[in-house]
Amino acid sequence: MGVDNLDKIFQPKSIAVIGASEKKESVGFDIMRNLINGKFPGNIYPVNPSYKALWDKQSYASVAEIDSMVDLAVVAVPIAVAPKIVNECVKSGVGGVVIISAGGKETGQKGKEIENAIKKEAESSGIRVIGPNCLGIVCTKSNLNASFAGQMPIMGKMAFISQSGAICSSILDLSIKEQIGFSYFVSVGSMLDVDFGDMIDFIGQDPNVGSIVMYVENLTNLRYFMSAARAVSRIKPIIALKSGRTRAGAAAAASHTGALAGEDDIYDAAFKRAGIVRVKTFEELFDCAELLAKNPHPSGPGLAIITNAGGLGVMAVDALSDYGIEPVALSAETIKKLDKELPSYWSHSNPIDLIGDADHERYLNTVKICIEAPEINGLLVILVPQGLNDPANIAKILADFLKNHPFPVFTSWLGGPGVEKGRQFLNDALIPTFDTPERAVRAFMDLHKHSKNIELLQETPARLPGKLQFDRESASLIIKQGIETGHFLLNEVEAKSLLLSYGIPVNRTEIACCAEEAVQKAQQLGFPVAMKICSRDVVHKTSVNGIRLDLNSVSDVEKSYEDILASCLSCKPKAKIDGVTIQPMLKRPDFELILGIKKDREFGPVILFGMGGVMTEILKDRAIAFPPLNRLLARRLMEETKVYRILKGQAAHNSTDLYLIEEILIRLAQLAADFPEIEELDINPLILTDNSVCALDARVVIKQSGTKAPMHLIISPYPNQNESHISVGGNINLFVRPIRPEDASLIEELFKTLSPQTIYFRFFAPIKNISASMLARFTQIDYDREIALVAILETENDEKMIGVARVITQRNPKHAEFAVLVGDSWHGKGIGATLLRRCLNIGKDHGIEKVWGTVLAENTQMLAMGKKLGFKIERVPDENEYQLIIDLTKPYDDINK
């Protein structure tokens, strides 16, 4: 449902507490106390039929008796009556409900039925439900503490979302001690309705939120979650601790790919694709949260370490090396400045060892120099009490100086009671302090990881030299026939035909049903040949000794045929054998790779890449990613493996080989995107020889799917259905299609042709060039959230972009803003109107009801186009601009006038 009505939950004007009480140690008491003590500015209505008044306020028997509008209802009564209460809230026009009550699906079937009843009462009404089985919610800017937590969080810019109420309580308690502030503190509980995707979408749009921290047990509505997280993580860090490990079901997978793609790895891949930093422990979550709350984000990994104990500096360096990072090299200028302030026997390098007798003056002067050093992106200050220094005094002086630091500064005051006062000074000054250097370094690297994520999200992929072609009709026929005949494990010839239909090269493979036919096929293919068992009952041919290689004669083939069948029947007496496959024996490959598809029950298809052949299960060198893929994403997938580094390091395997593998990964991802029936697919091995690649063996498992493509994907794919060829301006033939990430260079070329006036009309500012982040924003769109069509002038060897139109959904997904840009030399030919009209039609199909845009008064061409398309045009009071609005709920023809 998106963010509908969530503002009524987190910025309510009135609250009803159902189950309000004055009995201490009851949830109803705690919620009323927190609302009142938190100085909630709106009306609070206690609801409890047993009382006429509670907390010096009139008490009501039900929500229906309250004679004023209620925005939020907090339910703190037994869950069995929650469906009835939600029904009353719906009828009374309540905007949102927080159900504190436990006893839902976590208790078994009866609890699940209660939750289903609650959901039934709420659906189609617009009312939003948080919980059940939750601690409640806090929004500090609204002075809202609708929870039974023991205290109100400190106000800050970090949002915390958790499925576990106990984790919420622990984080809150620690945050008070460490002086960490929050803007939102939300326990989502069982996520009957509002889930992580909803919260990220809502909170991410709030300017009072600088970062989001989550404790995750499981995810729901994965496509929406990925869409929301990918949109928000570009501008705000999202940190997640995911508990729970791999399901045992993965062990029963039929293919290598299925066995290698575990649930925890899939969560890793999902978070990475969404730009989320994943942490592994509660301690790491809190440490990272502390740095996020108290520091600016690092612009790089250049960490300087100041210490009065050389050994601890070495420990910090060792911790850095675990991430493949070296401490920043100090510039000659920085060392020269330090020489003037430090004893001659200081370390003269990073870590900066101040020696054990360092006092407050030496610490302060060193910190000042490091703060000004351009090569430094972060500063760790370590102190060990050594008798000659005063940890509290040093902390106080540094805290006073570091009130406004330009990059992350954090500390490690090691020891017990002797350093506690110093730690308190640092915490009070919002300077993070950690028990050990290793914890400090880990938290810094988590922040750096987010910065790298943003760089990767904004990197634009290279363009393919031409459009990839796919034979979807042939692939569909193979899959359809397999399902209709009940052959859910395709044989090798069928599997390779499926790959070939998507442009993935395979070696020629023939089936022989007897020894004589095997000899005939071998002679046709030419010796030497390879022979393999062909049976749908045999998942792995090596398990039945069903492979023979380097067969060089007729007698070899005849003998091998009988041996293979005998060996298979010995291992699997009930196996139905179709015969054997005969294929040319290829030269020994330089490398063997594995590529595959695994359909996860929750995440849909994932793509696997790694080292193949006999080393697949031994080394388990693999990485996974989600379709769709482009060249950049395919290369990133490869880069996560050891075999990629070997490939890249071999002179014989140049960029051509890597490009070929990229293309095959893209083709494989497209196959996964087009056919939800594919449960598992193995290409093992994919061999590399002489600048060519070939799928030597393939295995495909299919199953009837209840979900149509592309809704089985968690990331919206490129919408091919919105491509078309049109003619405008009499004889101008254009290719209109959705924008692609690879279009960054075309956008840049279009921008260079624009006049200053056209730029000002579009961007409302005199922009001279498009930054990398703008290019990423314009081209790497979420097709579920944004509609962007481009007009392409096609030539024999290239493409030229001459116009683009967008319809971008707003906080309410039924409302959207439009924008149009056409190259100056193409004005007046109807290109902008054609693009926008098509965007509006697509938006109407997506459920968008209202589209608006702001146009400068001087932009007469845009105003005329708006009038032509049926927009309502209104002058903005006291501004030199107009607002154009169109209602897409009107009949279709009204849009196309």
Side-chain angles (χ1 to χ4, degrees):
M1 292 180 69
V3 299
D4 287 359
N5 272 344
L6 289 185
D7 54 339
K8 290 187 177 180
I9 292 180
F10 291 100
Q11 286 96 41
K13 295 179 180 177
S14 56
I15 300 175
V17 180
I18 301 165
S21 175
E22 290 181 344
K23 293 180 181 179
K24 293 184 178 181
E25 298 183 359
S26 70
V27 174
F29 173 88
D30 289 338
I31 292 170
M32 288 296 295
R33 178 201 62 200
N34 286 341
L35 286 170
I36 293 168
N37 291 350
K39 299 181 180 178
F40 174 68
N43 294 318
I44 302 172
Y45 303 108
V47 177
N48 190 325
S50 301
Y51 299 91
K52 295 293 184 182
L54 286 166
W55 294 85
D56 297 326
K57 299 176 184 293
Q58 180 183 346
S59 179
Y60 298 85
S62 69
V63 172
E65 286 191 7
I66 302 172
D67 54 7
S68 300
M69 183 63 68
V70 174
D71 288 332
L72 171 63
V74 183
V75 179
V77 294
I79 197 169
V81 297
K84 178 185 176 184
I85 290 170
V86 171
N87 176 271
E88 291 175 355
C89 289
V90 169
K91 292 178 178 177
S92 301
V94 175
V97 178
V98 175
I99 303 178
I100 306 293
S101 323
K105 63 184 179 183
E106 75 276 5
T107 64
Q109 183 59 34
K110 186 176 180 181
K112 188 175 181 180
E113 290 172 1
I114 294 173
E115 286 201 17
N116 288 337
I118 296 170
K119 194 168 187 177
K120 186 176 180 181
E121 295 293 347
E123 59 189 7
S124 302
S125 68
I127 197 170
R128 305 308 306 272
V129 178
I130 291 180
N133 190 23
C134 70
L135 181 78
I137 64 168
V138 177
C139 178
T140 54
K141 74 171 182 180
S142 303
N143 284 350
L144 170 69
N145 186 354
S147 77
F148 62 93
Q151 48 201 327
M152 184 77 168
I154 300 167
M155 184 176 288
K157 299 201 72 173
M158 182 166 63
F160 182 70
I161 314 166
S162 173
Q163 275 178 281
S164 165
I167 294 291
C168 280
S169 297
S170 301
I171 288 283
L172 179 55
D173 193 49
L174 283 168
S175 72
I176 301 296
K177 176 187 174 185
E178 300 293 332
Q179 294 292 294
I180 298 174
F182 293 93
S183 50
Y184 293 84
F185 209 85
V186 183
S187 170
V188 290
S190 298
M191 300 192 300
L192 179 148
D193 170 29
V194 175
D195 58 15
F196 283 103
D198 293 312
M199 290 308 308
I200 290 172
D201 221 352
F202 178 78
I203 290 172
Q205 298 176 49
D206 189 333
N208 292 298
V209 173
S211 58
I212 300 172
V213 178
M214 307 186 301
Y215 171 77
V216 180
E217 292 172 357
N218 68 289
L219 294 173
T220 57
N221 300 321
L222 282 159
R223 182 157 168 156
Y224 177 46
F225 170 82
M226 292 293 289
S227 175
R230 289 170 68 211
V232 172
S233 66
R234 291 174 181 268
I235 53 175
K236 298 176 182 181
I238 304 177
I239 312 295
L241 169 60
K242 166 66 177 71
S243 65
R245 287 294 178 178
T246 305
R247 288 190 307 268
S255 70
H256 288 295
T257 300
L260 291 173
E263 180 187 302
D264 208 51
D265 293 327
I266 292 174
Y267 268 98
D268 268 343
F271 287 153
K272 192 175 299 180
R273 185 73 173 264
I276 296 171
V277 175
R278 182 180 184 182
V279 297
K280 300 294 186 182
T281 65
F282 180 78
E283 178 186 75
E284 187 180 0
L285 178 73
F286 190 82
D287 289 348
C288 191
E290 185 172 6
L291 267 190
L292 280 172
K294 296 180 178 179
N295 269 300
H297 303 150
S299 58
L303 181 65
I305 302 160
I306 298 173
T307 179
N308 67 339
L312 291 171
V314 172
M315 290 170 63
V317 171
D318 287 344
L320 267 179
S321 69
D322 290 340
Y323 296 91
I325 300 293
E326 296 291 329
V328 65
L330 301 178
S331 69
E333 182 65 24
T334 300
I335 291 176
K336 184 178 178 181
K337 290 180 180 178
L338 290 170
D339 280 337
K340 292 180 179 179
E341 300 294 339
L342 300 178
S344 60
Y345 44 87
W346 77 280
S347 60
H348 292 85
S349 64
N350 186 15
I352 302 168
D353 187 353
L354 306 183
I355 315 302
D357 62 350
D359 59 7
H360 68 273
E361 187 175 348
R362 195 179 299 173
Y363 264 99
L364 180 61
N365 291 338
T366 304
V367 168
K368 286 180 177 179
I369 292 168
C370 290
I371 288 289
E372 295 172 356
E375 69 270 21
I376 295 175
N377 309 124
L379 183 61
L380 168 59
V381 184
I382 302 171
L383 180 141
V384 176
Q386 298 196 27
L388 298 176
N389 57 34
D390 182 349
N393 186 44
I394 293 173
K396 186 176 186 306
I397 289 170
L398 289 182
D400 290 340
F401 172 72
L402 290 170
K403 287 179 180 176
N404 294 302
H405 42 279
F407 51 64
V409 178
F410 46 106
T411 64
S412 182
W413 254 229
L414 281 84
V419 297
E420 194 58 43
K421 190 174 180 181
R423 285 183 186 148
Q424 192 59 52
F425 279 132
L426 294 167
N427 280 327
D428 290 345
L430 303 183
I431 298 170
T433 183
F434 300 93
D435 294 337
T436 66
E438 292 92 341
R439 285 181 65 179
V441 167
R442 182 182 61 194
F444 175 77
M445 291 310 301
D446 282 336
L447 285 196
H448 172 62
K449 194 188 303 182
H450 172 261
S451 299
K452 293 298 294 181
N453 281 352
I454 298 307
E455 286 181 24
L456 292 174
L457 286 172
Q458 293 181 348
E459 191 174 351
T460 53
R463 296 174 64 197
L464 289 163
K467 186 176 180 180
L468 299 182
Q469 300 296 323
F470 308 102
D471 188 352
R472 291 182 174 87
E473 188 174 340
S474 295
S476 179
L477 183 61
I478 293 168
I479 291 172
K480 183 180 178 182
Q481 287 177 343
I483 290 174
E484 288 178 348
T485 57
H487 293 158
F488 300 121
L489 176 65
L490 302 184
N491 66 34
E492 187 177 351
V493 172
E494 293 167 339
K496 286 183 175 177
S497 296
L498 181 65
L499 296 179
L500 199 58
S501 68
Y502 268 62
I504 299 172
V506 300
N507 63 327
R508 184 181 170 186
T509 303
E510 303 281 350
I511 293 182
C513 299
C514 62
E516 293 77 8
E517 189 177 5
V519 169
Q520 180 187 5
K521 300 278 188 181
Q523 289 175 326
Q524 290 174 353
L525 292 171
F527 292 106
V529 296
M531 187 182 293
K532 304 176 187 177
I533 189 69
C534 185
S535 170
R536 300 179 198 276
D537 296 324
V538 176
V539 177
H540 298 296
K541 301 176 180 68
T542 54
S543 67
V544 297
N545 194 24
I547 300 175
R548 300 292 185 275
L549 306 176
D550 285 315
L551 306 179
N552 287 291
S553 66
V554 169
S555 60
D556 285 347
V557 171
E558 290 175 335
K559 183 177 185 305
S560 294
Y561 185 91
E562 301 301 334
D563 287 349
I564 287 175
L565 264 62
S567 178
C568 180
L569 290 174
S570 173
C571 297
K572 284 184 171 284
K574 295 182 179 180
K576 181 181 178 182
I577 299 173
D578 298 326
V580 299
T581 61
I582 310 290
Q583 42 197 285
M585 190 69 203
L586 303 180
K587 65 175 287 188
R588 184 178 180 84
D590 299 322
F591 288 96
E592 294 185 339
L593 305 172
I594 180 172
L595 281 70
I597 300 170
K598 168 70 171 95
K599 187 177 180 183
D600 183 79
R601 185 178 61 190
E602 297 173 348
F603 287 87
V606 296
I607 307 300
L608 178 138
F609 171 84
M611 186 175 289
V614 296
M615 307 305 290
T616 299
E617 297 286 359
I618 299 171
L619 297 181
K620 298 187 186 299
D621 175 36
R622 78 286 186 272
I624 60 175
F626 295 96
L629 297 178
N630 54 39
R631 283 188 63 185
L632 178 61
L633 293 171
R635 181 63 65 98
R636 285 185 198 158
L637 172 61
M638 294 160 60
E639 287 171 348
E640 292 182 29
T641 62
K642 297 181 180 69
V643 71
Y644 170 80
R645 294 195 287 274
I646 298 171
L647 278 168
K648 194 173 181 184
Q650 294 286 330
H653 290 277
N654 54 30
S655 58
T656 302
D657 292 329
L658 298 176
Y659 170 78
L660 289 172
I661 301 171
E662 282 176 16
E663 184 179 315
I664 289 176
L665 283 168
I666 294 170
R667 291 180 179 276
L668 190 66
Q670 189 63 51
L671 180 63
D674 288 344
F675 295 100
E677 296 86 354
I678 297 176
E679 289 286 305
E680 296 179 21
L681 183 152
D682 267 359
I683 302 173
N684 187 24
L686 180 83
I687 63 171
L688 273 71
T689 55
D690 299 330
N691 292 327
S692 67
V693 294
C694 177
L696 209 58
D697 199 357
R699 181 184 299 106
V700 179
V701 179
I702 57 175
K703 181 181 178 182
Q704 186 70 50
S705 174
T707 306
K708 291 186 177 181
M711 297 313 296
H712 65 304
L713 303 177
I714 63 166
I715 298 171
S716 53
Y718 175 83
N720 292 287
Q721 70 274 14
N722 294 333
E723 293 183 346
S724 61
H725 286 85
I726 64 169
S727 180
V728 296
N731 59 354
I732 303 172
N733 296 316
L734 299 174
F735 179 33
V736 173
R737 60 166 173 79
I739 202 162
R740 300 186 183 118
E742 298 88 346
D743 287 335
S745 59
L746 296 182
I747 289 275
E748 283 186 300
E749 292 302 316
L750 171 60
F751 187 84
K752 291 176 183 177
T753 70
L754 303 178
S755 67
Q757 184 185 57
T758 297
I759 292 172
Y760 189 77
F761 283 169
R762 168 61 181 87
F763 299 103
F764 287 44
I767 299 173
K768 294 187 178 181
N769 54 63
I770 298 184
S771 66
S773 60
M774 289 176 68
L775 282 174
R777 171 66 189 85
F778 291 154
T779 59
Q780 298 180 34
I781 70 169
D782 185 329
Y783 296 113
D784 282 342
R785 289 174 174 254
E786 186 172 344
I787 302 158
L789 296 180
V790 295
I792 300 292
L793 189 65
E794 295 179 298
T795 63
E796 187 173 341
N797 300 316
D798 205 358
E799 294 181 326
K800 180 180 181 181
M801 186 183 297
I802 61 174
V804 58
R806 301 173 185 275
V807 169
I808 308 164
T809 55
Q810 304 297 294
R811 189 166 188 170
N812 179 345
K814 294 181 180 180
H815 296 171
E817 183 180 8
F818 78 85
V820 179
L821 178 66
V822 176
D824 287 70
S825 58
W826 302 93
H827 287 180
K829 303 183 185 301
I831 295 171
T834 300
L835 289 174
L836 183 55
R837 181 183 290 117
R838 287 170 182 261
C839 285
L840 294 175
N841 292 340
I842 296 169
K844 184 181 177 76
D845 292 339
H846 285 190
I848 296 174
E849 297 178 354
K850 185 176 81 170
V851 178
W852 64 276
T854 302
V855 178
L856 292 172
E858 308 96 286
N859 195 350
T860 55
Q861 285 185 313
M862 183 65 74
L863 292 171
M865 184 185 75
K867 184 176 181 181
K868 175 183 176 182
L869 294 177
F871 280 85
K872 181 181 179 181
I873 302 175
E874 296 179 345
R875 185 83 183 229
V876 179
D878 303 321
E879 298 288 345
N880 186 36
E881 56 193 38
Y882 289 87
Q883 188 150 72
L884 279 60
I885 302 172
I886 192 166
D887 183 355
L888 299 187
T889 62
K890 290 182 178 179
Y892 180 86
D893 288 339
D894 286 5
I895 301 174
N896 289 276
K897 285 181 179 178

